[in-house]
């Protein structure tokens, strides 16, 4: 991960000293809104334990009437509740990351430990995603979402206690990260229950991603402003409240739905292998995982590259913003102006060319050309809309939560691997050469992943072998 120069010392009455943190995880195939805590999504649960009689619960909304683009998604009342809850939870995620980093540095004066608070936001994803994935199909989804929000609120509340030692702070950070893939997988799976499996689901997922990318652009600025008026523990108290608000919205504003799988379904690793034995699902997961592995490299090396070409911190900020801005623009265009069939046709062309713009780093360009390369690479992230449609169609409903949990956990893990690999490579080669080499190596790997996806599509084009369905309006892989 890139490291900045020296930490900035702030006055005692203001926010605590902070060591600049590594760049947040993002990219064309970003794993959904939150990395450290559930970014709320509207799923509903069922069963008596969810509380209250069934008659007191809101009725399922169902798909909205047909309409153009993203406006149709907001016609679904339940999605509007989900979206509002997501904003509160995402605010808690972003501010808690910054506040905890500041607090740990204030207590230890260690840039390493301060940066570790960010690393712990995605390293446990693999553990939670593999060991707990089965819960997402065996338990009522609303119960999972509300409990995850409450767990995050509880962990953050313990961070606020002045007597909490640094080791416990990091352990709590890790605990929040462990439940994140469970929340995110449940959210993705139940979004199909709220919006249906067709175009509304794709656009709803896109909206949540757009909000997440936007939060990465503005959230740390908001957190920085907050830390000028309250100490880090005070900011953490605010984030605990946002998680509670998210939990309340989900509990009162979403419908009860039962667990997808039977109580006898395997929740262990054998159930995970059962999902991965489906060749088409496995190939689709690979297509979700490979692009972010390479996409994060320029961001991970943004600070060293700015130092290499001798530009200001303002220019560094431009380089950091370029990729998410391109991603937001690409998704908005695809969701607003392209039909479902067109979005399906452009998946592989955009995916396999997604890191080709990194070749523009070869001549060690200045900030304008480097930023243009990142904008272009981010815009190719529009392929995720069509890929989402393929994925929800390919996965049998009783395995949907587990499959989506594995997919999001894998995306977070590979981003961490990509950042670490970029840092190692930059120890032996100039930064611009590492980024340009990523463009070559990444394209080769993406072509291989696309070839496997085509082969898997040809082997089971109608869905995915074991109960998968394709939404109306989607074309098969052979038509791409």
């Amino acid at each position: 991960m890139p490291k900045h120069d020296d930490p900035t010392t702030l006055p005692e009455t203001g926010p605590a000293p902070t060591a600049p943190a590594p760049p947040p995880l993002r990219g064309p195939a970003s794993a959904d809104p939150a990395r450290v805590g559930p970014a709320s999504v509207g799923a509903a649960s069922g069963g008596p334990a969810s509380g209250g009689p069934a008659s007191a619960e809101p009725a399922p909304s169902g798909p909205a009437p047909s309409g153009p683009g993203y406006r149709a998604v907001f016609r679904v009342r339940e999605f509007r509740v989900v979206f509002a809850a997501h904003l509160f939870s995402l605010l808690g995620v972003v501010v808690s990351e910054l506040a905890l980093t500041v607090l740990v540095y204030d207590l230890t004066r260690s840039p390493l430990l301060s940066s570790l608070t960010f690393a712990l936001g995605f390293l446990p994803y693999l553990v939670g995603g593999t060991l707990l994935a089965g819960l997402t199909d065996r338990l009522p989804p609303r119960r999972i979402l509300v409990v995850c929000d409450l767990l995050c609120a509880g962990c953050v509340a313990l961070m606020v206690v002045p007597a909490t030692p640094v080791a416990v702070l990091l352990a709590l950070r890790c605990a929040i990260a462990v439940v994140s893939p469970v929340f995110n997988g449940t959210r993705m799976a139940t979004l199909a229950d709220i919006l249906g499996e067709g175009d509304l689901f794709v656009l709803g997922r896109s909206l949540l991603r757009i909000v997440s990318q936007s939060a990465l652009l503005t959230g740390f600025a908001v957190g920085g402003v907050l830390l000028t008026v309250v100490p880090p523990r005070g900011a953490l108290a605010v984030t605990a409240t946002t998680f509670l608000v998210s939990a309340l919205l989900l509990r009162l504003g979403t419908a009860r739905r039962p667990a997808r799988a039977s109580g006898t379904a395997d929740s262990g690793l054998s159930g995970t292998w059962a999902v991965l034995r489906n060749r088409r699902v496995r190939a689709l997961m690979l297509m979700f995982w490979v692009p972010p592995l390479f996409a994060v490299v320029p961001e991970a090396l943004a600070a060293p590259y700015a130092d290499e070409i001798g530009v200001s911190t303002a220019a560094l900020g431009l380089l950091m913003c370029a990729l998410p801005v391109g991603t937001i623009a690409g998704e908005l265009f695809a969701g607003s102006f392209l039909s479902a069939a067109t979005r399906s046709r452009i998946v592989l062309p955009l995916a396999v060319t997604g890191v080709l713009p990194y070749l523009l780093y070869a001549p060690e360009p200045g900030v304008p050309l480097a930023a243009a390369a990142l904008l272009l690479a981010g815009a190719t992230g529009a392929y995720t809309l069509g890929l989402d449609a393929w994925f929800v169609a390919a996965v049998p409903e009783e395995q949907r939560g587990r499959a989506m949990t594995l997919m999001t956990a894998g995306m977070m893990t590979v981003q961490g691997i990509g950042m670490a690999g970029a840092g190692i490579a930059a120890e032996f080669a100039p930064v611009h050469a590492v980024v340009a080499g990523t463009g070559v190596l990444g394209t080769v790997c993406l072509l291989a992943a696309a070839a496997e996806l085509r082969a898997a599509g040809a082997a089971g084009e109608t869905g995915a072998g074991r109960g998968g369905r394709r939404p109306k309006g989607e074309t098969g892989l052979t038509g791409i």
Side-chain angles (χ1 to χ4, degrees):
M1 295 183 183
K3 294 185 179 179
H4 302 273
D5 296 328
D6 295 321
T8 303
T9 303
L10 303 175
E12 288 289 329
T13 56
T18 177
L25 303 181
R26 51 183 176 252
S30 173
D32 267 329
R35 299 189 307 282
V36 292
S40 99
V41 81
S45 75
S50 59
S55 59
E57 301 294 338
S61 305
S66 59
Y70 294 110
R71 285 179 292 175
V73 182
F74 282 109
R75 293 194 187 108
V76 181
R77 181 200 59 80
E78 199 172 355
F79 179 80
R80 294 196 301 269
V81 173
V82 167
F83 190 81
H86 170 56
L87 292 177
F88 277 101
S89 189
L90 189 57
L91 175 64
V93 168
V94 175
V95 175
S96 65
E97 283 187 342
L98 182 59
L100 184 59
T101 301
V102 171
L103 178 61
V104 169
Y105 186 76
D106 186 32
L107 294 173
T108 65
R109 302 292 174 171
S110 169
L112 174 62
L113 288 176
S114 182
S115 297
L116 188 60
T117 63
F118 272 87
L120 290 177
F122 61 86
L123 292 178
Y125 252 76
L126 185 61
V127 176
T130 52
L131 298 183
L132 304 179
L135 296 177
T136 57
D137 291 318
R138 295 184 69 224
L139 297 176
R142 186 179 64 188
R143 189 186 308 168
I144 295 175
L145 296 171
V146 172
V147 168
C148 285
D149 260 335
L150 293 177
L151 284 173
C152 289
C155 289
V156 175
L158 290 175
M159 295 176 187
V160 177
V161 178
T164 305
V166 172
V168 176
L169 289 175
L170 296 178
L172 291 169
R173 178 76 166 88
C174 189
I176 292 174
V178 167
V179 304
S180 291
V182 177
F183 186 96
N184 289 335
T186 304
R187 177 188 61 201
M188 289 176 61
T190 53
L191 199 60
D193 297 332
I194 294 172
L195 298 174
E197 298 179 13
D199 206 39
L200 287 187
F201 166 79
V202 172
L203 294 176
R205 281 268 293 143
S206 175
L207 278 171
L208 296 184
R209 275 196 302 266
I210 289 170
V211 169
S212 302
Q213 295 287 347
S214 301
L216 293 174
L217 293 174
T218 62
F220 286 109
V222 172
V225 172
L226 181 62
L227 287 171
T228 64
V229 294
V230 297
R233 292 190 193 275
L236 287 170
V238 171
T239 67
T241 303
T242 63
F243 285 126
L244 290 174
V245 172
S246 173
L248 184 64
L249 286 170
L250 291 172
R251 176 61 186 83
L252 299 180
T254 59
R256 297 178 63 177
R257 294 183 178 91
R260 290 179 187 81
S262 66
T264 59
D266 193 343
S267 61
L269 290 177
S270 60
T272 298
W273 293 124
V275 173
L276 295 178
R277 279 196 298 269
N278 185 323
R279 184 182 181 186
R280 182 178 170 90
V281 172
R282 192 171 64 243
L284 287 166
M285 283 191 183
L286 192 64
M287 188 55 70
F288 274 110
W289 293 341
V290 176
L293 173 65
F294 298 99
V296 297
V297 170
E299 287 186 303
L301 300 178
Y305 186 68
D307 181 64
E308 182 179 284
I309 62 176
V311 297
S312 66
T313 53
L316 171 61
L318 179 62
L319 292 175
M320 292 293 295
C321 291
L323 191 64
V325 167
T327 303
I328 292 170
E331 288 224 21
L332 282 174
F333 179 82
S336 300
F337 300 107
L338 301 182
S339 68
T342 300
R343 291 196 296 266
S344 184
R345 284 193 293 270
I346 65 175
V347 170
L348 294 187
L350 287 183
V352 300
T353 58
V355 294
L356 272 180
Y358 293 173
L359 294 176
L360 294 175
Y361 271 76
E364 196 177 27
V367 172
L369 185 57
L374 295 174
L375 279 168
L376 184 58
T380 65
Y383 78 87
T384 52
L385 280 79
L387 197 60
D388 280 337
W390 292 355
F391 195 74
V392 75
V395 179
E397 185 174 356
E398 66 275 9
Q399 295 179 335
R400 188 178 291 160
R402 185 194 297 266
M404 291 183 173
T405 298
L406 290 171
M407 185 264 283
T408 56
M411 282 198 293
M412 294 302 297
T413 302
V414 298
Q415 287 182 85
I417 294 172
M419 285 186 166
I424 293 171
E427 291 290 328
F428 302 97
V431 174
H432 72 277
V434 172
V435 177
T438 298
V440 176
L441 179 60
T443 300
V444 171
C445 293
L446 284 164
L447 285 169
E452 169 60 18
L453 184 54
R454 275 185 170 277
E461 179 136 7
T462 56
R466 298 177 186 175
R469 297 170 300 283
R470 179 182 303 133
K472 293 180 180 180
E474 298 300 329
T475 60
L477 288 176
T478 56
I480 299 172

